[in-house]
């Protein structure tokens, strides 16, 4: 994961205590609503699972990535539904540690924590498994057709949201709210109008990538040896999270790749090589239409640490002008540390005669999607758009990525009329999405028939706690709103999920173009989502 899991409770406690008084009554009501249902599920599935591995105990198979993706919905969205109280330890994603432990325990023979360790780095994705049944995924949401309380009435919701969204600060607006359990549209104003979505585009990128490649897919970087020329080629696999830092955490490590490559060369008796790098996985230009910008590096399949020149791991930062050459130079320096002399690197292309020296692989796609959404990671978004293109037989360039995203969404039966996707990140002002499409994307990600899409929900920032919403909703709907933000000059958007006062899970999308300023537009959107959280509205 991007941020270490299981941080000490005391690190988050002051923040939680600050909002506990505001949200505890609503959380308690929701907890009472869903507690019997959770108890029935626990009783039904609990006996099937053994305790974790201990000496003398039966060995429990290591959980699979796509399966934890399903259980993460219970952990992440149950928080949004208010199933948990404000007490207890929290991890870095804003979800209760105890809740996640419970979910993993219930799914011990089927789920996985896709952010654990680098043991799988350099290995192919695990094989497909049967999808978990819907009840174990969505029971805790309180959003079923037989929920104790009904969805908000459309007329009442209109009376609440219309005055808030007619704020002049929002300019031209497109908005929609749906009941996730039934798909019923509860509110709409210009919901079919295609507007510039900014970074809420990443929700579309996430769903398309997960649909095309699966939650277990990994991005692999290779070092190969050309025996005819004595050339070592560093082959970019499109993993912008490849890191040269000593503490790689869960990312693929350039240091590991160099050490293992050097060992393989030494076995061949090779101590001096010509070093090259291969970036042919992607096509077209490397520069985003936005131009040189601290929010995004040149789009190339080979880079380390997102080409950042500082120690940051998210947000704007200065970038090296040629990420691939920079990565190859660092690789050459690391080879030298292991006794292999390398020439200054240059561009090349590996051949079919090359033999693989070593590989390292990214965390699974589920983790990459969560990182992209939580931190609005533009480099990851553009990489995933290109990999979606590759997975669907399209050119891995900006146009191919946009076309592939749109095609995957259409294949999922989503309303793509009016949509025009130009990139994966939403930095391109020519992108166009509708509020109807964004809410449909969120509902599809919660569909029991598509557990592989669940990271598109679990990766959404948690209001008041994580990512781009960490500093918002401190006195309103903290903990019960999960949403992707979008911000460009004159553009503000917000799309995600919220649980109302009666425990109904709603998906919403608010797009505003021609806004008068970032602060007043954000405030207006936050007031609208806070009103949804406070609404019984029957």
């Amino acid at each position: 994961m991007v941020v270490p899991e299981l941080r000490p409770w005391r690190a988050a406690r002051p923040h939680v205590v600050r909002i506990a008084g505001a949200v505890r009554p609503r959380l308690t009501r929701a907890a009472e609503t869903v507690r019997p249902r959770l108890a029935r599920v626990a009783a039904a599935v609990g006996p099937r699972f053994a305790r974790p591995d201990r000496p003398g105990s039966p060995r429990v198979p290591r959980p699979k990535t796509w399966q934890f993706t399903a259980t993460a919905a219970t952990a992440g969205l149950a928080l949004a539904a208010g199933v948990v109280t404000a007490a207890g330890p929290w991890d870095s994603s804003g979800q209760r540690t105890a809740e996640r432990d419970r979910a993993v325990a219930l799914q011990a023979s089927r789920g996985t924590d896709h952010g654990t360790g680098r043991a799988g780095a350099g290995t192919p994705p695990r094989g497909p498994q049967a999808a978990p049944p819907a009840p174990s995924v969505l029971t805790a949401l309180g959003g079923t057709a037989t929920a104790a309380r009904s969805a908000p009435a459309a007329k009442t919701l209109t009376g609440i949201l219309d005055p808030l969204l007619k704020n002049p600060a929002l300019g031209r607006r497109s908005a929609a709210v749906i009941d996730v359990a039934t798909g019923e549209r509860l509110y709409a104003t210009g919901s079919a109008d295609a507007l510039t979505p900014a970074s809420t585009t990443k929700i579309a990128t996430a769903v398309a990538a997960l649909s095309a490649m699966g939650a277990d897919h990994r991005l692999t970087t290779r070092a190969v040896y050309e025996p005819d020329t004595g050339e070592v080629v560093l082959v970019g696999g499109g993993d912008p999270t490849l890191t040269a830092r000593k503490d790689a955490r869960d990312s693929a490590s350039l240091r590991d790749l160099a050490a293992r490559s050097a060992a393989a060369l030494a076995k061949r008796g090779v101590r001096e090589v010509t070093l090259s790098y291969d970036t042919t996985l992607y096509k077209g230009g490397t520069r985003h239409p936005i131009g040189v910008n601290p929010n995004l590096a040149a789009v190339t399949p080979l880079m380390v640490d997102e080409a950042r020149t500082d120690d940051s791991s998210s947000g704007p930062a200065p970038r090296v002008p040629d990420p691939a050459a920079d990565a190859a130079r660092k690789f050459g320096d690391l080879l030298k540390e292991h006794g292999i002399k390398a020439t200054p690197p240059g561009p090349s292309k590996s051949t079919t005669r090359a033999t693989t020296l070593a590989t390292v692989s990214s965390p699974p796609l589920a983790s990459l999607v969560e990182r992209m959404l939580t931190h609005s990671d533009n480099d990851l978004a553009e990489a995933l758009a290109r990999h979606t293109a590759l997975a669907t037989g399209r050119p891995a360039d900006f146009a191919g990525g946009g076309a592939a995203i749109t095609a995957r969404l259409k294949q999922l039966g989503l309303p793509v009329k009016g949509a025009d996707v130009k990139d994966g990140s939403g930095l391109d002002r020519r992108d166009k999405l509708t509020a109807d499409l964004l809410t449909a994307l969120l509902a599809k990600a919660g569909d029991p028939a598509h557990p592989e899409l669940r990271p598109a929900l679990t990766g959404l920032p948690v209001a008041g706690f994580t990512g781009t919403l960490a500093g918002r909703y401190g006195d309103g709907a903290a903990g019960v709103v999960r949403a992707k933000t979008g911000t460009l000059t004159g553009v503000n958007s917000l799309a995600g999920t919220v649980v109302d006062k009666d425990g109904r899970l709603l998906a919403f999308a608010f797009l505003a173009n021609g806004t008068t300023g970032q602060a007043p537009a954000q405030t207006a959107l936050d007031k609208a989502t806070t009103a949804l959280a406070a609404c019984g509205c029957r």
Side-chain angles (χ1 to χ4, degrees):
M1 299 292 287
V2 181
V3 218
E5 293 289 336
L6 305 177
R7 289 180 178 173
W9 156 239
R10 59 178 175 271
R13 186 174 183 275
H15 195 170
V16 177
V17 169
R18 178 170 60 83
I19 66 162
V23 300
R24 183 178 290 113
R26 191 156 64 248
L27 300 183
T28 301
R29 285 194 297 271
E32 292 301 324
T33 300
V34 299
R35 183 179 292 114
R37 199 173 301 132
L38 288 174
R40 288 195 296 273
V41 173
V45 302
R48 291 183 295 178
F49 303 108
R51 293 169 63 93
D53 287 356
R54 290 182 178 177
S57 299
R59 179 173 179 81
V60 180
R62 185 173 180 81
K64 304 294 184 186
T65 295
W66 72 266
Q67 294 161 329
F68 180 75
T69 298
T71 53
T74 302
L77 297 179
L79 167 68
V83 174
V84 299
T85 65
W90 293 72
D91 63 27
S92 61
S93 70
Q95 301 165 341
R96 269 188 77 201
T97 298
E99 183 184 57
R100 174 169 290 183
D101 290 345
R102 173 62 172 164
V104 172
L106 289 176
Q107 300 280 354
S109 68
R110 297 187 300 157
T112 190
D113 181 349
H114 51 246
T116 302
R118 287 185 291 108
T123 62
R126 299 179 179 90
Q129 300 290 330
S136 67
V137 177
L138 295 179
T139 300
L141 299 182
T144 66
T146 57
R149 294 180 183 265
S150 61
K155 184 176 180 180
T156 307
L157 201 55
T158 298
I160 290 173
L161 290 180
D162 268 356
L164 294 171
L165 293 176
K166 286 180 180 178
N167 189 320
L170 293 179
R172 185 185 177 195
R173 300 167 298 281
S174 173
V177 179
I178 67 171
D179 179 24
V180 172
T182 64
E184 179 187 0
R185 187 164 66 181
L186 305 176
Y187 176 81
T189 178
S191 62
D193 295 343
L195 300 183
T196 301
S199 278
T200 54
T201 301
K202 293 182 176 73
I203 298 174
T205 302
V207 170
L210 290 164
S211 171
M213 294 176 279
D216 268 324
H217 185 77
R218 296 172 186 261
L219 313 180
T220 299
T221 306
R222 298 182 295 136
V224 302
Y225 181 67
E226 298 281 0
D228 297 341
T229 61
E231 181 183 14
V232 169
V233 184
L234 182 61
V235 183
D239 177 12
T241 67
L242 177 69
T243 182
R245 294 168 181 166
K246 290 183 179 180
D247 182 6
R249 297 185 180 180
D250 294 330
S251 297
S253 171
L254 189 71
R255 292 174 179 270
D256 285 354
L257 184 64
R260 288 156 51 194
S261 298
L265 290 168
K267 285 183 179 180
R268 290 173 168 81
V270 177
R271 294 293 180 181
E272 187 170 344
V273 297
T274 299
L275 181 59
S276 302
Y277 56 92
D278 183 344
T279 60
T280 58
L281 182 67
Y282 292 172
K283 306 301 180 184
T286 64
R287 191 67 61 192
H288 188 280
I290 199 174
V292 177
N293 191 286
N295 288 292
L296 180 70
V299 183
T300 171
L302 179 61
M303 64 175 69
V304 292
D305 299 306
E306 297 185 336
R308 296 170 181 271
T309 60
D310 58 20
D311 293 331
S312 65
S313 59
S314 63
R319 313 299 180 104
V320 298
D322 188 342
D326 172 70
R329 281 192 297 269
K330 291 177 178 176
F331 184 70
D333 291 341
L334 292 167
L335 287 177
K336 184 177 179 180
E337 291 179 8
H338 292 281
I340 304 296
K341 184 179 179 181
T343 64
S348 184
K349 186 181 187 306
S350 62
T351 70
T352 56
R353 298 184 301 278
T355 58
T356 298
L357 296 172
T359 65
V360 289
S361 293
S362 72
L365 184 59
S367 290
L368 299 181
V369 163
E370 288 180 337
R371 168 175 172 164
M372 174 187 69
L373 293 172
T374 299
H375 297 286
S376 202
D377 192 312
N378 298 304
D379 300 284
L380 256 175
E382 296 303 341
L384 296 187
R386 278 163 170 69
H387 279 281
T388 303
L390 290 168
T392 56
R394 288 176 171 80
D397 55 15
F398 284 107
I405 290 170
T406 304
R408 292 305 297 185
L409 302 190
K410 185 176 182 180
Q411 186 173 330
L412 288 168
L414 295 167
V416 297
K417 184 178 180 180
D420 191 0
V421 181
K422 299 296 187 182
D423 65 0
S425 63
L427 289 173
D428 195 323
R429 289 178 173 274
R430 298 174 298 165
D431 287 327
K432 293 292 184 287
L433 296 179
T434 67
D436 281 342
L437 175 56
L438 285 167
T439 51
L441 282 164
L442 295 162
K444 184 66 71 172
D447 187 341
H450 291 280
E452 76 281 2
L453 304 182
R454 214 69 78 238
L457 294 179
T458 58
L460 294 174
V462 181
F465 286 92
T466 61
T468 54
L469 287 185
R472 293 164 66 171
Y473 295 92
D475 58 353
V480 296
V481 170
R482 302 193 71 148
K484 182 70 199 75
T485 58
T487 307
L488 294 170
T489 302
V491 176
N492 291 86
S493 58
L494 195 65
T497 61
V498 60
V499 175
D500 73 7
K501 184 175 63 176
D502 292 331
R504 297 293 296 201
L505 183 69
L506 310 177
F508 67 90
F510 303 142
L511 303 176
N513 287 186
T515 56
T516 60
Q518 179 177 333
Q522 281 188 359
T523 299
L525 295 179
D526 290 353
K527 284 182 178 179
T529 49
T530 298
L532 280 176
C535 182
C537 302
R538 300 193 312 280

